[in-house]
């Protein structure tokens, strides 16, 4: 099986000069052996190679040859989150876009950036900082990855209520589809309704429709003030406090929770971003209104640094689960998360404004069957109230039993047809979970 | 006129008062707000429920006729025009707000709900619906979804697509699909986002879930008066570059100011000015005055002759009046008005405006600009008289040149009004055959038979032929 896949991969590897190809152990190291990230790679995945195209033409050539030979390609950035939803098929060739990393267009006064998909988000941040701008996206863990990976994953963090989700901030993408077409869709202006919005389709498509080679995004001015109020207490009172903050008319940037920790305490962090006067006013009103006093108030760099640290919350976890329901169900969803974390030996984090609860854990591989059972039961409960539960990261065995996503809605048939349209021979990652 | 058998089944489904067959009454539906395109529909159906929409779609499809969804008909690209005797399915009677779910800041509604009525209804909960097209007192949310409409306050808050979280859609075969819903999180491809802006070509939205925002505590409005439009454009760039995030930044140019001041809508703008810039901030009372002061200084530095600020709601309304009534006023000074729509990178505004003015002079036409400057979304409107054939021809040529100018600057052919019938031939200015091919194919995923709103958005001569599908290899699952 694996040998056959490797055979099929052969011609794909021949497309690029040797210096742009890693095979065998070196390929394995690249994908799975990154510091702090060991154990993320599903055990049943076995990539024969990683290739590093350096131009759109090279990407297109790889796809053309894969279509001819039936080899399978897995689009990638830095490979920082590869397991999610896709990489369970043996013998895939990883196509890393990290050598496509040029800044194509950055005009600060336009508040837009166009760059190659493989540009790292840390480089993006360094580029924007001197101009007092930022990409207002706090996707979990995205700082470690690339612009293209962020768009392909399309998962948004707690700031989405204030700044929009990733999909609201992507203005255009260039892609090479699984069928080998090079498409330039959208543009680099902030308002654009010319034709159907295919940009939305590729955002969050997780490498299943095409390889993204370039991205245009909308930027924001860095807010003048950044303040975080930290509350600590029992789960019940902290979740109630979080809901109160969420339903107040005050401009709140994010409300995040953390629980299931050894101390048994639950933490709520309320983040305020905006002009100095506004943030101070909101801070003082919150402190006056909430029954509970914040244990700590962080300002400016300290506040930013805290959120920077939290971004890598899942790092090193073999299992990451995302539960979502309407925000007013937060108490239930959070409880469900705590119960799951308890059963799996993990921790919980939540975006209270969005009603999203994440659970991370690293259960022993010997417990796969048991873990999958827990997940299925949790999913049933969440779905019964109209919510969803998806796996963000899991070992292949667990995902195969529990399924990356749950219920397939009535739009599923449309999604299947879209997958077929852009990747008719299924040479790319499996259909978007 | 549709066949009698079809008329009969439509009446059976939607009731006698829900079907319009009378030639004279059909005239009302022959165009949208872009009156250059007029085609009388074969019939108009006004269902009250999703089931009736499904029934009507099936009945029409059985007779092999095309279908055109229609909201309030305020579209400015000919999107709701019924070509080839198509049957219009109008949402005027599907105008109920089904649920305002205040704790979750969302609402579920039928597509025919008027934009402003949603905000009105949400206000008792301290909430509102952010996208605010200037037509908001008449246009429908269904139309907004189909066009992905914007508005003056989209600079800070984003356009329609950011707020649509779920849809029920009747497809061309009469089946119903539910996309997204129950908040923002839904796994899989973003089909909600794909549907928004599909201009009636993918199906009929019969139920829409949208997000709402808390009404901001305070609002401040400023009006900068400039002798040179370039300076106003510069002020816009400077305000944005300074890190300020106004809710709205709107420019009204000299010809528009004079049109407004000559009309019943006179707003007290100086008629010798070449540009007026409306700046609005909203948010907490505490931060607003500081922002307003900084913006006022930036306007003065950019060369503003005068900066007015509103002290109360009446004054605020007065400052906005010239902007809000611009279209109405222009309609009064010329028999016809071509409302154009394009977006350019914000920093190119000064040079683009000069370019547009040159084009106007070269073709001896009055071009009046009123636009969402903060987003770089231009509306260069051409005033003319269609009875003058030579002038009409000049209008068309000037219009195309303006589009080309905007595209060459890195911009696009439409920022909010859509492609519709009017701009489908401009699509090739920004997209090549592969992109158009992909759009055709995605459209067919939703509507394999080409029943929904045919003749819109994509130029017919780019229809893919089946054999152009890329040859594929031996792979597969
Ligand atoms: C510590 C940590 C925690 C994270 N937590 C979560 C989480 O909870 N939920 C979640 O969804 N994500 C999570 N992520 C993923 C993160 O949000 C980013 O999406 C990711 O870091 C991008 O990394 P990358 O560029 O290296 O892409 P990779 O890791 O190489 O790829 C990630 C995914 O994107 C696709 N992809 C990457 N580049 C392209 C491209 N150019 N074209 C097409 N497809 C492409 C891949 O096929 C794959 O499906 C986490 C990441 C880290 C490092
Ligand atoms: C004075 C004036 C000012 C305007 N200002 C703005 C502005 O600031 N910003 C802006 O973006 N636009 C503006 N517009 C344009 C217009 O109001 C918008 O495009 C609006 O969204 C159209 O809504 P409608 O209900 O009138 O739709 P219609 O004109 O009836 O239809 C528009 C399109 O939507 C489709 N459609 C309608 N309902 C549905 C449905 N339920 N399901 C699927 N498809 C449907 C139709 O087939 C058609 O293609 C303005 C128009 C006027 C006349």
């Amino acid at each position: 099986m694996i040998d056959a896949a490797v055979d099929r991969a052969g011609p794909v590897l021949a497309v690029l000069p040797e210096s742009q190809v890693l095979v065998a152990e070196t390929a394995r190291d690249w994908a799975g052996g990154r510091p702090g990230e060991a154990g993320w790679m599903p055990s049943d995945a076995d990539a024969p190679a990683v290739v590093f195209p350096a131009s759109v033409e090279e990407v297109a050539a790889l796809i053309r040859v894969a279509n001819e030979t039936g080899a399978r390609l897995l689009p990638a950035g830095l490979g920082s989150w590869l397991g999610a939803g896709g990489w369970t098929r043996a013998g895939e060739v990883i196509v890393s876009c990290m050598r496509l990393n040029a800044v194509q267009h950055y005009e600060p006064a336009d508040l837009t950036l166009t760059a190659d998909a493989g540009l790292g988000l840390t480089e993006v941040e360094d580029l924007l900082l001197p101009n007092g701008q930022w990409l207002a996206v706090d996707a979990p863990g995205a700082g470690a990855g690339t612009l293209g990976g962020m768009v392909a994953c399309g998962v948004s963090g707690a700031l989405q209520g204030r700044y929009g989700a990733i999909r609201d901030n992507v203005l255009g993408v260039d892609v090479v589809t699984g069928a080998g077409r090079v498409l330039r869709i959208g543009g680099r202006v902030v308002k654009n309704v010319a034709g159907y919005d295919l940009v939305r389709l590729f955002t969050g498509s997780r490498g299943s429709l095409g390889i993204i080679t370039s991205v245009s995004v909308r930027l924001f001015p860095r807010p003048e003030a950044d303040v975080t109020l930290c509350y600590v207490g029992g789960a019940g009172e902290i979740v109630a406090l979080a809901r109160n903050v969420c339903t107040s008319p005050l401009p709140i940037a994010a409300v995040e929770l953390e629980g299931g920790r050894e101390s048994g305490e639950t933490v709520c962090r309320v983040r305020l971003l905006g002009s100095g006067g506004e943030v101070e006013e909101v801070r003082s009103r919150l402190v006056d209104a909430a029954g509970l006093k914040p244990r700590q108030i962080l300002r400016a760099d300290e506040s930013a640094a805290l959120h920077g640290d939290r971004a890598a919350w899942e790092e090193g976890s073999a299992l990451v689960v995302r539960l979502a329901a309407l925000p007013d169900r937060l108490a239930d969803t959070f409880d469900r998360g705590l119960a799951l974390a308890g059963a799996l030996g993990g921790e919980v984090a939540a975006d209270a404004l969005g009603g999203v609860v994440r659970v991370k854990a690293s259960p022993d591989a010997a417990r796969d069957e048991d873990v999958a059972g827990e997940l299925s039961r949790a999913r049933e409960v969440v779905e019964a109230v109209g919510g969803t539960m998806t796996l963000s990261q899991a070992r292949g065995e667990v995902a195969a039993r529990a399924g990356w996503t749950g219920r397939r809605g009535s739009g599923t048939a449309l999604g299947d047809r879209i997958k077929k349209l852009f990747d008719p021979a299924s040479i790319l990652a499996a259909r978007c979970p | 006129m549709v066949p009698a058998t079809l008329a009969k089944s439509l009446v059976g489904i939607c009731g006698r008062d829900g079907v319009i067959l009378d030639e004279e009454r059909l005239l009302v539906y022959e165009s949208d707000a872009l009156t250059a395109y007029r085609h009388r529909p074969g019939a108009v159906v006004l269902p009250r429920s999703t089931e009736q929409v499904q029934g009507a779609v099936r009945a029409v499809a059985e007779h092999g006729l095309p279908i055109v969804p229609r909201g309030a008909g305020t579209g400015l690209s000919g999107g709701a025009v019924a070509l080839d005797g198509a049957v219009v399915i109008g949402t005027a009677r599907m105008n109920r707000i089904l649920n305002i779910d205040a704790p979750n800041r969302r609402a579920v509604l039928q597509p025919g709900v008027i934009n402003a009525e949603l905000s009105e209804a949400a206000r008792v909960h301290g909430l509102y619906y952010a996208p605010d097209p200037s037509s908001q007192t008449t246009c429908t949310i269904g139309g907004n979804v189909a066009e992905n409409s914007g508005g003056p306050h989209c600079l800070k808050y984003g356009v329609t697509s950011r707020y649509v979280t779920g849809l029920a859609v009747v497809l061309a075969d009469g089946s119903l699909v539910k996309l997204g819903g129950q908040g923002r999180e839904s796994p899989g491809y973003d089909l909600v986002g794909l549907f928004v802006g599909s201009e009636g070509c993918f199906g009929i939205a019969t139920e829409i879930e949208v997000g709402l925002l808390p009404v901001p505590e305070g609002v401040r409005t400023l009006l900068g008066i400039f002798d040179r439009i370039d300076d106003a454009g510069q002020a816009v760039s400077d305000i944005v570059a300074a890190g300020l995030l106004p809710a709205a930044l709107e420019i009204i140019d000299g010809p528009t100011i004079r049109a407004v001041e000559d009309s019943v809508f006179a707003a007290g703008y100086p008629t010798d000015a070449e540009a007026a810039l409306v700046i609005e901030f909203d948010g907490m009372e505490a931060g607003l005055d500081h922002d307003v002061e900084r913006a006022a200084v930036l306007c003065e530095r950019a060369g503003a002759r005068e900066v007015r600020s509103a002290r109360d709601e009446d004054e605020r309304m007065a400052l906005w009046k010239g902007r809000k009534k611009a279209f109405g006023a222009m309609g009064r000074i010329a028999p016809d008005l071509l409302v154009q729509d394009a977006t350019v990178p914000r920093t190119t505004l000064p040079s683009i405006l000069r370019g547009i003015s040159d084009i106007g002079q070269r073709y001896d036409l009055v071009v009046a600009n009123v636009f969402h400057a903060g987003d770089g979304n231009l509306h260069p409107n051409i005033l003319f008289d269609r009875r003058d054939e030579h002038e009409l021809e000049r209008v068309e040529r000037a219009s195309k040149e303006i589009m080309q100018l905007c595209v060459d600057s890195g911009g696009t052919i439409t920022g909010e009004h859509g492609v519709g019938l009017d701009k489908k031939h401009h699509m090739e200015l920004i997209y090549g055959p592969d992109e158009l091919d992909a759009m055709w194919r995605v459209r067919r995923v939703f509507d394999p038979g080409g029943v929904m709103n045919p003749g819109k958005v994509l130029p017919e001569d780019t229809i893919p032929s089946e054999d152009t599908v890329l040859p594929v290899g031996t792979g597969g699952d």
Side-chain angles (χ1 to χ4, degrees):
Chain A
M1 170 66 200
I2 287 178
D3 286 348
V6 172
D7 282 351
R8 283 192 306 219
V12 171
L13 305 187
V15 169
L16 300 183
E18 237 170 79
S19 62
Q20 290 167 241
V21 179
L22 294 179
V23 290
E25 278 311 302
T26 49
R28 194 167 246 298
D29 286 350
W30 186 88
R34 302 165 77 71
E37 294 165 9
W40 282 21
M41 193 169 72
S43 62
D44 53 357
D46 189 9
V50 189
V51 296
F52 302 88
S55 67
V56 175
E57 292 70 32
E58 288 183 354
V59 173
L62 289 165
I63 288 188
R64 193 173 54 244
V65 173
N67 269 302
E68 283 160 12
T69 62
R72 284 157 163 176
L73 308 180
L74 180 66
L78 296 173
S80 61
W81 195 252
L82 272 181
W87 197 18
T88 54
R89 300 188 302 180
E92 278 175 325
V93 176
I94 299 176
V95 182
S96 163
C97 293
M98 64 184 280
R99 293 198 46 182
L100 292 168
N101 59 1
V103 175
Q104 294 169 26
H105 188 92
Y106 174 43
E107 175 59 67
D110 284 336
L111 284 171
T112 59
L113 167 71
T114 302
D116 289 352
L119 187 65
L121 287 188
T122 41
E123 280 81 45
V124 171
E125 197 180 324
D126 292 347
L127 177 72
L128 305 181
L129 198 60
N131 293 297
Q133 299 183 345
W134 67 317
L135 187 59
V137 159
D138 62 342
T146 62
L147 202 51
M150 174 194 88
V151 174
C153 277
V155 60
S156 298
L159 287 175
Q160 65 173 311
R162 174 68 162 267
Y163 292 99
I166 288 178
R167 57 174 182 261
D168 300 312
N169 291 305
V170 182
L171 307 172
V173 291
D174 290 358
V175 297
V176 184
T177 67
R181 298 285 180 103
V182 179
L183 305 181
R184 312 193 68 171
I185 48 190
R188 60 180 175 87
V189 287
V190 292
K191 266 172 96 182
N192 184 358
V193 294
Y196 310 127
D197 198 347
L198 303 189
V199 179
R200 289 273 181 148
L201 197 51
F202 281 89
T203 305
S205 62
R206 300 202 176 225
S208 69
L209 299 178
I211 298 184
I212 300 171
T213 57
S214 162
V215 174
S216 292
V217 282
R218 175 186 187 140
L219 309 173
F220 284 87
R222 267 185 184 275
E224 193 177 275
D226 183 342
V227 168
T228 302
L229 311 183
C230 305
Y231 298 86
V232 182
E237 66 175 334
I238 290 295
V239 172
L241 172 130
R243 270 304 290 163
N244 275 339
V245 176
C246 289
T247 51
S248 87
L250 300 171
I252 307 287
V255 181
E256 291 182 276
L257 295 171
E258 253 184 69
R261 306 193 301 183
E262 252 166 52
S263 65
E265 284 179 323
T266 297
V267 180
C268 173
R269 298 194 190 87
V270 180
R271 190 171 189 193
L272 312 175
L273 297 171
S275 70
E278 175 173 288
V279 165
E280 262 321 291
E281 176 71 15
V282 179
R283 184 200 56 80
S284 78
R285 285 204 219 172
L286 278 179
V287 171
D288 290 345
L292 207 64
K293 294 289 159 231
R295 181 172 289 184
Q296 207 185 4
I297 299 182
L298 300 176
R299 289 168 204 277
D301 290 351
E302 271 179 19
S303 171
L306 170 77
H307 294 282
D309 287 349
R310 302 323 304 159
W313 184 76
E314 297 93 337
E315 195 161 314
S317 303
L319 177 67
V320 178
V321 185
R322 191 174 173 95
L323 306 131
L326 287 173
D328 69 343
R329 298 201 162 268
L330 182 68
D332 282 352
T333 319
F334 197 72
D335 272 355
R336 181 62 33 211
L338 285 176
L340 196 56
L344 304 174
E347 293 182 18
V348 180
D351 155 18
L353 279 168
V356 177
V357 172
R358 288 177 293 143
V359 177
K360 67 167 180 181
S362 290
D364 199 276
R367 286 183 60 203
D368 280 350
E369 200 175 331
D370 187 28
V371 169
E374 288 289 347
L375 293 173
S376 303
R377 278 190 292 282
R379 177 174 281 144
E380 243 170 66
V381 179
V382 180
E383 288 188 349
V385 296
T388 59
M389 192 193 99
T390 50
L391 305 186
S392 302
Q393 187 68 263
R395 289 166 36 73
E397 291 85 346
V398 173
R401 282 175 207 270
W404 291 100
T405 55
R407 197 175 40 213
R408 288 161 70 88
S410 56
T412 306
L414 294 171
D416 288 340
R417 272 145 74 186
I418 284 169
K419 167 73 177 164
K420 250 206 144 66
L421 179 62
F422 287 106
D423 183 21
S426 261
I427 60 151
L428 300 177
R431 183 187 182 286
C432 184
Chain B
M1 218 24 219
V2 296
T5 49
L6 174 58
K8 197 163 159 229
S9 37
L10 291 175
V11 168
I13 294 160
C14 297
R16 193 157 292 283
D17 62 343
V19 182
I20 300 172
L21 300 162
D22 180 285
E23 294 288 316
E24 223 154 277
R25 288 180 62 207
L26 286 176
L27 272 184
V28 176
Y29 296 89
E30 70 172 359
S31 80
D32 62 7
L34 178 68
T35 52
Y37 301 96
R38 292 172 200 262
H39 294 268
R40 199 176 311 176
V44 173
V45 196
L46 301 170
R48 288 188 189 276
S49 66
T50 296
E51 293 71 29
Q52 290 189 358
V53 172
Q54 290 182 275
V57 166
R58 288 200 185 102
V60 177
E62 260 168 40
H63 284 80
L65 286 175
I67 293 169
V68 179
R70 184 180 176 104
T74 69
L76 285 168
S77 52
V81 173
L83 302 173
D84 304 323
V87 175
V88 166
I89 299 189
T91 59
R93 302 202 302 180
M94 296 177 75
N95 57 0
R96 278 184 305 129
I97 296 174
L98 303 172
N99 177 18
I100 292 187
D101 176 8
N104 291 309
R105 293 187 177 162
R106 65 179 193 128
V108 181
L109 30 122
Q110 289 190 309
V113 170
I114 304 294
N115 176 299
E117 285 173 6
L118 174 57
S119 283
E120 195 56 44
R123 201 157 286 263
V124 295
H125 304 284
L127 301 171
Y128 78 114
Y129 178 64
D132 60 341
S134 306
S135 51
Q136 73 180 143
T137 53
T138 40
C139 66
T140 66
I141 302 282
N144 297 169
V145 167
E147 300 287 5
N148 192 11
S149 300
H153 292 84
C154 291
L155 171 62
K156 179 168 175 186
Y157 294 105
V159 294
T160 302
S161 60
R162 179 161 159 192
Y163 296 90
V164 181
T165 54
L167 292 167
V169 175
V170 174
L171 299 177
D173 62 358
S175 64
L176 179 70
V177 289
K178 298 218 162 152
L179 310 175
Q182 298 259 347
R184 269 195 234 105
E185 289 267 328
S186 55
Y189 299 125
D190 182 12
L191 298 180
V192 173
L194 180 60
F195 186 90
V196 175
S198 60
E199 301 198 26
C201 302
F202 289 4
I204 305 178
T206 60
E207 218 174 278
I208 301 168
E209 180 185 297
V210 296
L212 304 171
L213 295 182
V215 177
E217 185 181 271
V219 186
R220 296 284 188 285
T221 308
L222 285 177
L223 182 73
I225 305 289
F226 293 83
D227 292 326
R228 287 162 24 105
I229 193 161
D230 282 20
D231 295 343
Q234 190 58 47
V236 167
S237 282
D238 292 348
I239 288 170
V240 171
L244 291 167
L245 189 58
L249 275 174
E250 302 275 312
I251 290 182
I252 304 105
D253 77 351
T256 312
I257 292 174
R258 290 183 277 282
V260 170
E261 293 305 320
D262 281 349
S263 76
V264 293
F265 305 120
Y269 293 7
T271 51
D272 60 341
E274 278 316 311
L277 170 62
V278 178
I279 307 167
E280 187 154 287
F281 289 95
D282 65 12
M284 297 290 287
E285 284 289 349
L288 287 176
D289 291 328
H290 179 60
D291 286 352
V292 163
E293 271 162 38
R294 286 178 65 196
V297 169
L298 290 169
C299 283
E300 275 156 12
R301 263 193 224 147
R305 170 207 298 188
E306 178 192 351
V307 181
R308 299 179 188 174
S309 71
R311 272 160 307 193
D312 56 33
E313 189 58 19
D314 286 346
E315 285 190 19
R316 206 172 77 73
M317 283 311 158
L319 295 187
W320 268 106
K321 194 171 172 192
R323 166 66 183 91
K324 297 223 162 165
K325 297 296 179 189
F327 286 100
M330 280 186 269
R332 282 159 207 246
I333 58 169
D336 294 287
L337 177 67
L338 181 79
V339 180
Q340 268 303 5
D341 171 40
T343 312
V344 299
R346 187 170 22 230
T347 45
T348 63
L349 275 176
S351 70
I352 294 288
L353 290 169
R354 239 174 288 129
I356 289 174
S357 154
D358 289 349
I359 294 170
Q361 273 172 12
R362 217 163 351 100
Y363 287 100
D364 190 21
L365 293 166
V366 179
V367 185
N369 291 285
V370 37
F371 56 98
H372 312 302
D375 289 321
N377 186 185
L378 292 166
H379 294 312
N381 304 312
I382 307 180
L383 304 165
F384 68 106
D385 182 348
R386 79 173 50 253
R387 286 163 304 188
D388 178 346
E389 259 176 51
H390 296 292
E391 192 174 46
L392 189 61
E393 200 198 306
R394 294 203 310 277
V395 169
E396 276 163 12
R397 283 173 39 206
S399 171
K400 181 134 197 191
E401 264 189 50
I402 290 173
M403 281 299 130
Q404 186 70 56
L405 178 71
C406 294
V407 169
D408 291 345
S409 79
T412 188
I413 57 166
T414 168
E416 57 180 21
H417 294 165
V419 176
L421 200 51
D422 190 41
K423 287 198 173 145
K424 65 178 173 176
H425 293 295
H426 293 345
M427 283 288 276
E428 283 158 295
L429 294 178
I430 49 169
Y431 288 123
D434 284 336
E435 288 81 14
L436 294 171
D437 179 89
M439 287 188 194
W440 272 114
R441 289 174 196 275
V442 167
R443 178 173 178 164
R444 285 190 185 154
V445 162
F446 286 84
D447 175 20
V451 174
M452 302 301 302
N453 216 358
K456 311 290 169 61
V457 184
L458 301 173
E460 275 73 24
D461 51 2
T462 61
I463 292 185
S465 60
E466 278 320 309
D467 54 52
T468 58
V469 179
L470 196 96
V472 292
T474 52
D477 277 332

